[in-house]
Amino acid sequence: RKEVEQDPGPFNVPEGATVAFNCTYSNSASQSFFWYRQDCRKEPKLLMSVYSSGNEDGRFTAQLNRASQYISLLIRDSKLSDSATYLCVVNRNTGNQFYFGTGTSLTVIP
Amino acid sequence: NAGVTQTPKFQVLKTGQSMTLQCAQDMNHEYMSWYRQDPGMGLRLIHYSVGAGITDQGEVPNGYNVSRSTTEDFPLRLLSAAPSQTSVYFCASSYGSRGSTYEQYFGPGTRLTVT
């Protein structure tokens, strides 16, 4: 079983829409959780860390459900510039081993 | 700060050739990693280092060697290139301490083709 699983999409949504991505992780020892954004042919960049109590950064909201071992990302009022691949990442804090999902592709349509 | 730099950006090798992918960071990060990214597979960890002189294997280490003689540099060596090593390679660095994990900063990647 993969460490991190994501629906690859693609998600095609109109501007202004709300879209949600989910991600599941297999190892209950996972301690740190992140969402990264990757534009086409570019390196991944941190979008936001995910905290146990949930956290919000502008139009983006991340939630963690440890009991069900899933992480979610909600994007409100989608912009054309949100078009990218969103990577779910977990770490067990036992070293430097980060585990990446395969990514969910989002295209925001005018 | 330049952040994480990688060279070369593109490389074409013939089967059996060897080469070294360079990675350097100027943020004084202890942790550095090498990943490969293939379609449908996500990023997979090749090797990582938690400090100068310390390296360890990741998920897919076969066919690759690393060394960490300084905090700044973490080169990845392909011993005898194979077509299966055609991929995009990313180097990343982060702060780190036992029990805490911080965001990773990625280099721009090296696109490697092995023919």
Side-chain angles (χ1 to χ4, degrees):
Chain A
R1 185 180 172 189
K2 289 184 181 178
E3 287 274 343
V4 181
E5 300 210 49
Q6 291 181 254
D7 179 351
F11 285 68
N12 299 317
V13 303
E15 265 186 294
T18 296
V19 62
F21 308 137
N22 289 329
C23 159
T24 58
Y25 59 95
S26 62
N27 195 310
S28 60
S30 299
Q31 293 294 324
S32 300
F33 309 90
F34 308 88
W35 284 101
Y36 277 72
R37 171 194 169 125
Q38 186 174 25
D39 294 296
C40 187
R41 301 181 70 79
K42 298 286 190 182
E43 71 272 25
K45 293 186 178 178
L46 180 70
L47 178 66
M48 58 197 303
S49 301
V50 186
Y51 303 120
S52 296
S53 55
N55 47 300
E56 187 173 307
D57 183 2
R59 298 182 292 109
F60 299 85
T61 300
Q63 298 277 355
L64 168 64
N65 184 319
R66 286 188 184 273
S68 301
Q69 294 182 202
Y70 82 78
I71 307 150
S72 64
L73 176 68
L74 183 76
I75 305 175
R76 292 182 299 278
D77 189 22
S78 298
K79 312 290 185 193
L80 296 177
S81 58
D82 294 334
S83 298
T85 296
Y86 291 83
L87 306 173
C88 176
V89 184
V90 305
N91 181 287
R92 297 182 200 166
N93 281 14
T94 57
N96 196 34
Q97 298 205 42
F98 291 77
Y99 297 91
F100 286 75
T102 53
T104 298
S105 173
L106 172 66
T107 301
V108 180
I109 304 163
Chain B
N1 285 353
V4 181
T5 57
Q6 290 183 237
T7 56
K9 285 188 167 49
F10 301 93
Q11 182 70 50
V12 178
L13 290 178
K14 294 188 187 306
T15 297
Q17 288 184 313
S18 64
M19 77 159 295
T20 300
L21 278 61
Q22 302 291 344
C23 173
Q25 52 91 10
D26 61 359
M27 298 174 281
N28 202 33
H29 286 168
E30 287 295 316
Y31 287 3
M32 296 187 75
S33 304
W34 275 103
Y35 296 88
R36 59 178 290 174
Q37 186 174 34
D38 303 292
M41 300 290 289
L43 277 86
R44 291 182 293 168
L45 184 65
I46 304 171
H47 285 283
Y48 66 99
S49 169
V50 299
I54 306 169
T55 64
D56 208 344
Q57 296 182 349
E59 182 185 356
V60 288
N62 292 343
Y64 308 94
N65 272 355
V66 292
S67 59
R68 184 96 180 270
S69 55
T70 66
T71 298
E72 295 77 20
D73 300 298
F74 190 44
L76 177 73
R77 183 163 179 82
L78 277 70
L79 308 172
S80 176
S84 61
Q85 293 179 305
T86 294
S87 188
V88 181
Y89 291 85
F90 288 104
C91 178
S93 73
S94 66
Y95 290 111
S97 62
R98 187 170 293 279
S100 299
T101 305
Y102 303 90
E103 70 170 288
Q104 289 196 309
Y105 295 81
F106 285 83
T110 294
R111 283 164 177 76
L112 175 68
T113 301
V114 182
T115 61

